[in-house]
Amino acid sequence: MSDTVKAINLKHEEAKNIANQEINRRKESIKKSRYRLHYHFMAPVGWINDPNGLVQYKGEYHLFYQFYPYDAKWGPMHWGHGKSTDLVHWEHLSVALAPSEDYDSGEVTGYGCFSGSGVVNGEELVLIYTGHVDNKEPMQVQCIATSKDGIQFEKYPQNPVIDVYPEDGSPDFRDPKVWSHDGKWFMVVGSHKNGKGKALLYVSNNLKDWAYVGVAAESDGTQGDMWECPDLFPLQDYHVLLVSPMYGKQNEKPFYVIGDMDYETGVFTQQLARTLDYGYDFYAPQTFEDDKGRRIMIGWMEKWLTKMPSQEHGWAGAMTIPRELILEGSTIVKQKPVTELENLRTNEKHYDSLVVENEWMINDMDVSTEIMINFDLHETTASLFGIQLRCSTDGNERTDIILDAARQEIILDRNKAGVGEKGISKAPFTINEDGTVQIRIFMDTTSVEVFVNDGEQVITNRIFPDEGSKLFKLFSKDGKVCVSRMSSWTLNTVWD
């Protein structure tokens, strides 16, 4: 090993050690926060945003993430790290990447190891990430780091592996997602030019030497002027592109595009685009394929520039539950919570053939709960009906999930949901051929994820109600609502 390589490794190890010492110093006090979630992934301390490097390596699932361990707000980005054998119970590991080199660190406000992906190359786990330094030219470059045990990572001495953005892009050139196809490695990188977000395509034989292919896909003029976290992958007989778009400085709802990928020309042909999640708190999703052939997605369960009450407790940000993506025909990507979550179920309650006029209440439903409800619209006469979660005894605090059958619209209203952000999320829904609408809810201490009709539509929001707000209600307006079946389970915690 050359002296240069030894110096790089030593400098990087020192940066990681300092971060790990800070985590160990604060992690016990953070556990006491009343806002900590029971079955969602969170960092032990500090700030997290994008999930990175989702991969299965030597039989274990690995989740890396954008991480600032020193404060509960965004700062110089590190890569935090957790692993799991079942996608549900996670073990926190030492920091995988820390800013240490001239391409990811500097004497400026913004720098770090920005978002990227992970792949298995033989016996090695390889992380591909964006090195970012404000005011540097170029500002963003693509880098790699490797590990032989999935825990200790060394930065490649010849980083960056892509040191300049192409003519089709701009200095905003980040979030590499890498996958293999027919013995070659392909990479899409998010960028923009002339007011259009773009996914730029590269190809390599060895993950170190990359050739630019061209623009794989770009905005049609309405899909954002900067594309972050592009993810392109095969799903059944098609390819799907995920994009987290920006409009100016505003991050908006991620969308998916179903289409065809021509690897000879490097062009992804868009056929149909849809919103991926209609909630406020869903961004930067990333996917991977596991050894069961499932395409699994996890997203950041938070949003930029919003009020985050947990920051007062020394931490901010969490991940969604893992969701399996299933292509329905050629028009809908369904999101199904992974089946492993069912192993957390306990304390089942079941109800058949409920008819509710005005309201029906369950006292003290656990704050960590899964609920499945089938509404029978053939027998329902109410104009509006739905569910109220995390209600206070006086009714002043609650989260409303409202179905409008005439408009075929579901509404999640968190305007009275506690001390966090307010707002109303809306999504369309279809009525099944048997006249039913199925709602599946994953409720945690400070989050709600709503899956409609087996994941055709999803709404993800953070809520921060009082600890004592635990009532659950079914309600109707101007008539009755009929529930053919309802089940609920308490979900056990996965954290100590």
Side-chain angles (χ1 to χ4, degrees):
M1 184 182 295
S2 71
D3 291 341
T4 300
V5 174
K6 289 180 180 178
I8 291 172
N9 289 338
L10 180 60
K11 191 176 180 182
H12 188 212
E13 286 302 312
E14 288 176 348
K16 290 190 290 184
N17 288 338
I18 294 171
N20 289 324
Q21 290 169 11
E22 177 67 10
I23 294 167
N24 290 330
R25 185 180 70 83
R26 298 172 52 222
K27 65 182 182 181
E28 291 303 318
S29 63
I30 299 297
K31 288 181 181 179
K32 301 174 184 177
S33 168
R34 68 177 183 271
Y35 295 137
R36 295 292 275 182
L37 296 144
H38 287 287
Y39 58 90
H40 288 79
F41 184 89
M42 305 165 290
V45 303
W47 166 279
I48 72 171
N49 51 282
D50 305 1
N52 297 153
L54 301 183
V55 70
Q56 193 174 21
Y57 176 66
K58 295 183 178 180
E60 295 180 310
Y61 296 104
H62 288 257
L63 165 61
F64 302 86
Y65 52 93
Q66 292 285 273
F67 183 36
Y68 186 56
Y70 300 100
D71 203 345
K73 59 185 180 182
W74 188 92
M77 285 289 96
H78 298 54
W79 275 37
H81 187 193
K83 71 174 182 177
S84 172
T85 58
D86 63 359
L87 288 169
V88 176
H89 298 84
W90 293 94
E91 175 189 355
H92 288 302
L93 301 174
S94 59
V95 170
L97 297 175
S100 63
E101 309 307 313
D102 62 358
Y103 51 80
D104 60 23
S105 183
E107 299 297 324
V108 291
T109 300
Y111 61 88
C113 303
F114 276 23
S115 291
S117 51
V119 296
V120 178
N121 184 28
E123 292 299 308
E124 285 190 330
L125 179 54
V126 182
L127 305 182
I128 309 95
Y129 71 97
T130 296
H132 173 96
V133 181
D134 279 358
N135 303 323
K136 186 178 175 64
E137 181 57 44
M139 179 177 67
Q140 296 183 332
V141 295
Q142 313 316 317
C143 311
I144 66 173
T146 61
S147 173
K148 296 186 183 301
D149 63 4
I151 297 176
Q152 296 297 323
F153 289 86
E154 296 181 356
K155 294 179 180 178
Y156 180 49
Q158 279 73 53
N159 273 339
V161 294
I162 303 177
D163 61 1
V164 63
Y165 59 86
E167 185 177 347
D168 295 318
S170 72
D172 291 305
F173 176 60
R174 56 183 176 268
D175 311 334
K177 179 63 192 297
V178 175
W179 72 101
S180 64
H181 175 81
D182 278 353
K184 294 183 179 180
W185 297 103
F186 289 85
M187 173 199 295
V188 282
V189 184
S191 193
H192 67 91
K193 191 171 184 178
N194 299 327
K196 291 185 176 182
K198 297 176 184 287
L200 307 176
L201 184 68
Y202 288 79
V203 65
S204 174
N205 291 318
N206 58 12
L207 294 171
K208 299 173 181 177
D209 303 299
W210 292 91
Y212 178 59
V213 177
V215 179
E218 66 180 14
S219 169
D220 63 7
T222 67
Q223 299 167 312
D225 48 38
M226 170 64 195
W227 281 6
E228 294 193 305
C229 304
D231 189 350
L232 183 60
F233 52 88
L235 195 63
Q236 277 91 292
D237 296 328
Y238 295 85
H239 272 66
V240 173
L241 172 68
L242 306 186
V243 171
S244 295
M246 295 183 68
Y247 297 81
K249 295 184 178 181
Q250 183 65 44
N251 306 83
E252 292 294 345
K253 293 178 176 60
F255 61 88
Y256 67 85
V257 185
I258 300 171
D260 291 311
M261 180 64 190
D262 187 330
Y263 283 92
E264 294 299 319
T265 63
V267 174
F268 172 75
T269 302
Q270 300 188 41
Q271 295 181 11
L272 183 139
R274 295 183 185 272
T275 299
L276 190 57
D277 190 301
Y278 286 84
Y280 288 105
D281 296 305
F282 180 87
Y283 197 72
Q286 187 174 111
T287 75
F288 71 103
E289 186 177 58
D290 75 353
D291 58 12
K292 299 176 183 177
R294 299 181 296 179
R295 176 61 56 171
I296 297 170
M297 178 183 73
I298 296 175
W300 177 37
M301 197 167 63
E302 203 70 80
K303 188 180 179 182
W304 296 106
L305 306 176
T306 58
K307 180 180 180 181
M308 303 176 189
S310 64
Q311 288 179 307
E312 299 175 7
H313 297 218
W315 67 282
M319 300 301 173
T320 65
I321 57 173
R323 308 168 182 181
E324 182 183 0
L325 301 185
I326 305 288
L327 184 59
E328 186 94 344
S330 61
T331 60
I332 295 175
V333 175
K334 287 189 171 182
Q335 302 173 52
K336 299 186 179 184
V338 296
T339 57
E340 289 90 336
L341 287 161
E342 296 175 12
N343 295 328
L344 300 179
R345 290 174 174 175
T346 186
N347 190 30
E348 180 179 5
K349 297 178 181 178
H350 187 78
Y351 306 88
D352 286 316
S353 302
L354 289 171
V355 178
V356 176
E357 291 195 61
N358 295 321
E359 67 176 42
W360 179 77
M361 182 169 66
I362 297 178
N363 291 319
D364 293 333
M365 181 173 281
D366 198 283
V367 298
S368 173
T369 297
E370 177 190 353
I371 307 160
M372 295 185 70
I373 305 176
N374 277 22
F375 291 104
D376 184 351
L377 270 61
H378 282 325
E379 302 296 328
T380 293
T381 61
S383 58
L384 298 173
F385 56 91
I387 306 134
Q388 292 179 342
L389 305 171
R390 300 300 304 273
C391 305
S392 60
T393 53
D394 60 11
N396 290 330
E397 189 170 86
R398 64 181 188 269
T399 298
D400 295 327
I401 300 173
I402 306 164
L403 282 80
D404 185 330
R407 295 184 179 181
Q408 293 190 30
E409 186 175 68
I410 183 169
I411 302 159
L412 198 159
D413 183 344
R414 62 175 185 178
N415 280 325
K416 295 184 178 180
V419 298
E421 288 282 333
K422 312 304 180 186
I424 294 175
S425 303
K426 297 182 179 181
F429 69 81
T430 57
I431 299 172
N432 297 319
E433 290 183 1
D434 62 358
T436 64
V437 176
Q438 181 201 69
I439 306 296
R440 187 177 183 186
I441 302 166
F442 282 82
M443 182 174 68
D444 207 339
T445 321
T446 53
S447 69
V448 177
E449 291 162 274
V450 180
F451 297 80
V452 184
N453 286 338
D454 211 21
E456 283 186 359
Q457 312 291 2
V458 185
I459 301 175
T460 301
N461 280 335
R462 298 297 301 274
I463 59 172
F464 292 87
D466 186 86
E467 293 173 279
S469 296
K470 294 183 178 181
L471 301 182
F472 172 91
K473 298 179 183 179
L474 292 174
F475 72 89
S476 67
K477 182 179 180 181
D478 299 328
K480 66 180 181 180
V481 58
C482 294
V483 175
S484 57
R485 184 172 69 252
M486 184 174 85
S487 299
S488 70
W489 301 265
T490 297
L491 297 183
N492 289 328
T493 185
V494 302
W495 302 109
D496 293 336

